[in-house]
Amino acid sequence: CFSPTCVAKFHEFLRQEYGSIEAVNKEYTSQYRSFEEIQPVTLEEVKKNTNLIPLWVDYRRHMESTWAGIYQFSTETIKKVIPEAKTGDVAGHTFINSYQAGDFYKLMQATDFNSTYTRPFLDYAIADFEKPGNLLGLGWYGGYPFCCSTPFNRYVSWRHLFRGANSFWVYWGEPGEGGSIMASDMSLFDYFKENIKQVKELKEGIGKLFITAKRDNDGIGILYSASSVHCATLTPELPAMEKVLNSVVPLFEDSGYQFQVIAYQQLGEGILRTGDFALLFLPFCQSISEKEGEEIKKFVEKGGVVIADVRPGVADQHGKAYQRGVLDDVFGVVQDTGKPEVKNLKIRMEEKGFPEQFPRTFLDGAIRLGTGQAKAHAEGIPAFIVNNYGKGKAILLNFSASTTIVSACI
């Protein structure tokens, strides 16, 4: 939204973010005389002038704050009248991109309930970001075509429960209508009778036990970086962030390891130091602030393990490319922070215990080795890089963790 009110709010956002117009000019490589001079730009303008990247990314971040702020305002207004009300979202955010204004961490801090459509990554992110006492559903089900089977209705409520849901959301109950769970005579369809049976069992006691339980974690954190979503939009040659995140989660699920999704803000606030983490995974996290980078460095120095896929930490939280990647020393590499040299190649593994060859996937051909050791190549390009850093270890998978490569792993 480029309305006068949204642009004015953006100027407030910049004041809070930078503190002075001089700091803005340093980041933007600009010569603004006041905050009021700064106007938003389109993606097409950014493609013609890459100096506009941090301005464009910051406006996306501002829009995310504005959208979360609408929920916060609504919550506060409603609770003045109905203090016990639960306010939030019923399936409004299911896409991970630059155009929905959906920073899921900000949204979950501003709401009391959420029932998104089920998605591999969002189910876990929303459950991990929610505030205590939130009403949480993790996917609508009912009369949708993919739900109309007895086996599906036997397991779906359990799946939602095990992922952290404390409520189930069914679409819908109007008799005889398309998508309904009941016929015109108000009798439930046979497939949905199975769901009633399962929910009854849950409500008899075991469900209450799980609702109050905390999902286990094997010491693994998966970073959600909202700014990296926008950096991914700026590198369309590589698979989209949504595809990457929705591929990484099934990989961990099928490997049998439990994990916690952590947000960029939590990382900057020191969650790796306060939580019981042994491994941090960075899925397509091109945008890492200096503060976040320092937290990761300290984590690995003290014995932690960090794993990343393509182009970790090449830009700051505003999307501006670093002169040198903020995590290059940790991974033992030298990256071209400006623009990836995207290749679509097959990877040949040189380590035992792996398939000899992976399917074609996307790599960054511009990467160079520093202290890291390559354990796999793709036509001479390092594809699997291991580096010791302090007491810990860093592993850089110089390829996209998207569907093709992940499906080959599982």
Side-chain angles (χ1 to χ4, degrees):
C1 174
F2 288 1
S3 71
T5 51
C6 280
V7 174
K9 193 72 174 178
F10 177 52
H11 297 152
E12 292 181 23
F13 173 88
L14 292 176
R15 285 188 179 91
Q16 293 176 0
E17 185 82 8
Y18 291 95
S20 69
I21 194 65
E22 290 77 19
V24 172
N25 285 329
K26 181 179 180 181
E27 180 71 15
Y28 288 5
T29 319
S30 57
Q31 296 181 338
Y32 295 114
R33 290 169 296 180
S34 69
F35 288 103
E36 286 68 31
E37 283 187 19
I38 304 172
Q39 296 296 311
V41 294
T42 66
L43 183 58
E44 292 305 313
E45 291 175 280
V46 173
K47 291 177 181 178
K48 296 174 184 176
N49 181 3
T50 56
N51 284 339
L52 295 174
I53 285 175
L55 170 56
W56 182 80
V57 170
D58 278 350
Y59 203 80
R60 297 294 96 201
R61 296 170 61 229
H62 152 62
M63 285 281 89
E64 290 164 349
S65 295
T66 299
W67 188 232
I70 291 172
Y71 280 92
Q72 186 67 48
F73 171 79
S74 301
T75 296
E76 293 171 356
T77 302
I78 291 169
K79 289 195 173 187
K80 289 177 182 177
V81 181
I82 311 172
E84 69 275 15
K86 296 286 188 181
T87 60
D89 192 12
V90 286
H93 297 88
T94 53
F95 302 106
I96 305 169
N97 58 41
S98 294
Y99 311 111
Q100 306 290 319
D103 179 325
F104 298 98
Y105 184 73
K106 290 178 181 177
L107 285 168
M108 290 308 293
Q109 307 315 300
T111 57
D112 293 314
F113 85 80
N114 193 295
S115 181
T116 183
Y117 289 116
T118 184
R119 296 291 188 274
F121 176 76
L122 289 184
D123 284 1
Y124 287 99
I126 288 172
D128 287 336
F129 296 162
E130 70 161 342
K131 297 179 296 184
N134 275 20
L135 186 64
L136 182 65
L138 293 175
W140 289 79
Y141 63 90
Y144 299 99
F146 68 88
C147 301
C148 299
S149 72
T150 298
F152 179 88
N153 280 277
R154 185 174 298 127
Y155 101 100
V156 65
S157 300
W158 293 92
R159 186 189 74 170
H160 292 344
L161 179 69
F162 291 152
R163 288 185 175 182
N166 56 22
S167 61
F168 301 140
W169 297 71
V170 177
Y171 176 88
W172 65 331
E174 187 165 343
E177 294 294 320
S180 178
I181 58 170
M182 62 178 65
S184 300
D185 63 359
M186 300 188 70
S187 63
L188 293 172
F189 290 124
D190 288 344
Y191 70 83
F192 198 74
K193 290 178 182 177
E194 181 62 34
N195 188 259
I196 298 297
K197 176 183 175 183
Q198 298 301 322
V199 172
K200 182 176 182 292
E201 181 177 347
L202 290 173
K203 292 179 73 173
E204 286 174 349
I206 193 169
K208 294 178 182 179
L209 174 66
F210 277 102
I211 283 174
T212 56
K214 183 179 179 181
R215 199 177 81 244
D216 199 6
N217 178 17
D218 290 315
I220 298 171
I222 299 177
L223 180 63
Y224 167 66
S225 168
S227 291
S228 292
V229 174
H230 308 310
C231 283
T233 301
L234 295 166
T235 49
E237 311 94 324
L238 291 164
M241 177 65 86
E242 183 173 50
K243 188 175 182 180
V244 171
L245 294 177
N246 285 335
S247 299
V248 166
V249 164
L251 180 61
F252 279 95
E253 286 181 323
D254 288 6
S255 67
Y257 289 102
Q258 297 290 314
F259 55 88
Q260 178 182 341
V261 180
I262 64 173
Y264 57 93
Q265 182 171 322
Q266 294 172 303
L267 173 60
E269 292 173 349
I271 192 172
L272 294 180
R273 288 181 276 118
T274 58
D276 187 18
F277 292 97
L279 184 150
L280 176 66
F281 190 87
L282 309 176
F284 205 13
C285 290
Q286 296 185 87
S287 173
I288 299 285
S289 72
E290 290 186 359
K291 185 177 182 182
E292 294 161 12
E294 283 302 313
E295 291 293 333
I296 294 172
K297 289 177 183 178
K298 292 175 183 177
F299 171 71
V300 181
E301 282 177 342
K302 293 180 179 180
V305 176
V306 61
I307 302 175
D309 62 355
V310 66
R311 294 177 61 75
V314 294
D316 66 15
Q317 69 270 35
H318 311 287
K320 184 177 181 179
Y322 288 114
Q323 289 294 317
R324 177 176 171 77
V326 72
L327 296 176
D328 278 11
D329 288 342
V330 177
F331 288 105
V333 297
V334 178
Q335 300 185 85
D336 182 344
T337 59
K339 193 72 174 174
E341 185 183 315
V342 179
K343 304 287 186 181
N344 185 231
L345 302 170
K346 289 185 177 181
I347 299 171
R348 182 169 293 279
M349 297 296 301
E350 291 140 26
E351 283 285 286
K352 294 180 179 179
F354 293 91
E356 191 172 306
Q357 190 163 285
F358 283 88
R360 284 185 173 274
T361 189
F362 295 93
L363 303 92
D364 183 3
I367 200 167
R368 300 291 180 266
L369 291 176
T371 56
Q373 296 183 325
K375 305 295 184 179
H377 289 84
E379 296 188 9
I381 299 171
F384 189 118
I385 302 161
V386 179
N387 189 52
N388 294 320
Y389 187 81
K391 297 180 181 179
K393 189 180 294 289
I395 301 172
L396 176 53
L397 312 174
N398 182 34
F399 51 84
S400 175
S402 55
T403 305
T404 301
I405 199 72
V406 169
S407 61
C409 294
I410 59 179

